[in-house]
Amino acid sequence: MDKMLSVVIPSYNEQEMIQKTAAVIHTILTHAAIDHELIFVDDGSKDNTWQEIEAAAAANSVVHGVHFSRNFGKEAAIFAGLQAARGACAVVIDCDLQHPPEKMLEMYALWEQGYEVVEAIKSDRGKESALHKAFATVFYGIISVATKINMRDASDFKLLDRKAIDALLTIKEKNSFFRALSSWIGFKCVQITFDVQERTAGVSKWSFWSLVKYAVTNITSFSDFPMKIITALGMVSFVISVVMGAIALIGKISGRALEGFTTVIILQILFSSIIITSIGIIGYYLGKIYDEIKGRPKYIVSKTCGKDEE
Ligand code: UDP
Ligand code: MG
């Protein structure tokens, strides 16, 4: 019990995968003689994911389920799983087996050697369309610059020691970003690599817009980089306006004032757009502050299954 591994599996519309994933992970860990529990977090699925989890829990006592009242997103599902975890350490892994479960053994061995956070880094992103790859490069490039964490190859596939789990659970931010927070908390950390596997059933839950939303939310929740851009823009435009002001004054003095009309229009457009964008970004941060200050929970659990009778 004192070396138990909790496996946290966020699942959204994964009805085809639940039984298979449970069986694969259970077999691997049983063979390696690692005491474990599997926690499936049903993120408000619209298909039969919950029924599948209940069936898996009825068939195998190591399986537990947490069901959300609606879709709260993968981040929330991860935190709910960590909250429910009773192990001495926990691994977060995707339900679609794109994170190779045998890697858990390597991660667990590193944990036994004393590492408190084991991060799995993508060595190969698997099959993606050229468009998706291009967008991913741009997105992760921006996120990496803004958050100073290499997001391109980071994944949510991680092992956390009990100390790290408890530290993460004290974080009250509603827009928590697991991938970045797990390195923000510190602790003795080590990285391993894995090859992204192909999804065997079901479809990816990411649409183009959900990716954009994800990028914007995570950049703004993890850094004030956009605000710094505004400040930089402000300073640049101040320099420009000083130069233009001087030119205009000289024009006025030498009696050629009317000619500057084009310049005025261009400056007008330039500054209006900078100001409007800046207000937009500030408004976005204000919105986020408003979100946080409301203090709503990250997620709402509607039912659980497979919990030991108390
Ligand atoms: N997921 C979730 N809530 C969501 C979207 C996804 O819990 O709102 C889970 C999903 O079931 C899977 C994992 O997050 O276990 C990764 O999702 P997906 O495979 O769709 O992402 P991709 O591998 O394409 O990045
Ligand atoms: Mg996937």
Side-chain angles (χ1 to χ4, degrees):
M1 196 70 179
D2 56 333
K3 290 186 86 183
M4 183 168 75
L5 170 68
S6 300
V7 184
V8 172
I9 314 162
S11 320
Y12 179 56
N13 294 347
E14 301 279 7
Q15 57 181 10
E16 300 96 338
M17 292 307 301
I18 302 293
Q19 304 297 345
K20 189 173 174 209
T21 304
V24 168
I25 295 178
H26 180 59
T27 309
I28 290 174
L29 293 178
T30 308
H31 274 208
I34 297 173
D35 184 21
H36 60 279
E37 62 173 0
L38 309 186
I39 302 166
F40 284 95
V41 183
D42 177 6
D43 187 8
S45 298
K46 291 175 184 65
D47 62 0
N48 287 323
T49 299
W50 181 246
Q51 284 78 351
E52 293 292 333
I53 294 173
E54 278 184 329
N60 187 343
S61 63
V62 303
V63 177
H64 303 280
V66 176
H67 183 263
F68 281 178
S69 59
R70 66 168 168 85
N71 182 242
F72 280 91
K74 186 180 178 187
E75 298 289 319
I78 291 172
F79 277 86
L82 292 176
Q83 184 81 60
R86 295 168 308 155
C89 60
V91 165
V92 176
I93 187 168
D94 277 5
C95 189
D96 53 14
L97 295 179
Q98 283 189 293
H99 298 156
E102 22 346 307
K103 282 277 168 187
M104 287 194 293
L105 304 181
E106 199 180 316
M107 295 164 99
Y108 190 80
L110 285 166
W111 173 73
E112 283 184 313
Q113 285 169 30
Y115 289 100
E116 290 156 323
V117 177
V118 184
E119 300 181 316
I121 307 290
K122 295 171 197 157
S123 60
D124 158 44
R125 297 181 59 83
K127 273 216 181 99
E128 279 176 342
S129 71
L131 187 73
H132 191 279
K133 260 207 173 81
F135 276 122
T137 308
V138 174
F139 276 152
Y140 291 118
I142 298 173
I143 296 186
S144 302
V145 171
T147 61
K148 298 183 192 73
I149 295 166
N150 178 1
M151 284 293 132
R152 178 92 170 87
D153 305 319
S155 72
D156 289 325
F157 189 20
K158 290 181 203 290
L159 179 143
L160 302 171
D161 179 69
R162 172 50 56 190
K163 273 182 267 171
I165 301 171
D166 290 342
L168 267 183
L169 291 175
T170 62
I171 294 173
K172 293 280 171 286
E173 284 166 50
K174 193 165 142 283
N175 284 308
S176 42
F177 181 26
F178 178 67
R179 230 172 265 193
L181 284 176
S182 58
S183 61
W184 179 85
I185 54 171
F187 293 106
K188 197 172 170 209
C189 183
V190 65
Q191 301 185 331
I192 62 165
T193 58
F194 73 100
D195 293 327
V196 178
Q197 308 296 304
E198 288 210 33
R199 216 178 217 288
T200 50
V203 288
S204 175
K205 311 299 178 298
W206 295 102
S207 67
F208 173 69
W209 282 113
S210 65
L211 271 178
V212 175
K213 230 179 105 190
Y214 184 72
V216 172
T217 314
N218 293 332
I219 291 170
T220 52
S221 73
F222 227 78
S223 91
D224 50 5
F225 188 68
M227 299 262 242
K228 285 186 187 140
I229 296 178
I230 297 181
T231 319
L233 270 181
M235 289 192 293
V236 169
S237 45
F238 178 73
V239 173
I240 295 175
S241 57
V242 168
V243 174
M244 296 310 272
I247 294 173
L249 264 181
I250 294 167
K252 177 91 179 153
I253 293 163
S254 58
R256 291 184 283 112
L258 250 184
E259 268 177 39
F261 195 68
T262 330
T263 327
V264 172
I265 295 294
I266 292 172
L267 282 183
Q268 184 76 288
I269 297 168
L270 179 71
F271 285 101
S272 313
S273 56
I274 292 176
I275 290 167
I276 293 170
T277 316
S278 308
I279 292 175
I281 297 179
I282 292 168
Y284 190 82
Y285 276 94
L286 268 183
K288 293 196 65 115
I289 293 170
Y290 179 56
D291 256 6
E292 293 290 345
I293 220 151
K294 280 187 289 195
R296 289 187 188 163
K298 285 195 186 87
Y299 54 83
I300 296 167
V301 172
S302 65
K303 48 194 163 182
T304 60
C305 70
K307 277 260 143 56
D308 303 330
E309 303 299 328
E310 272 153 273

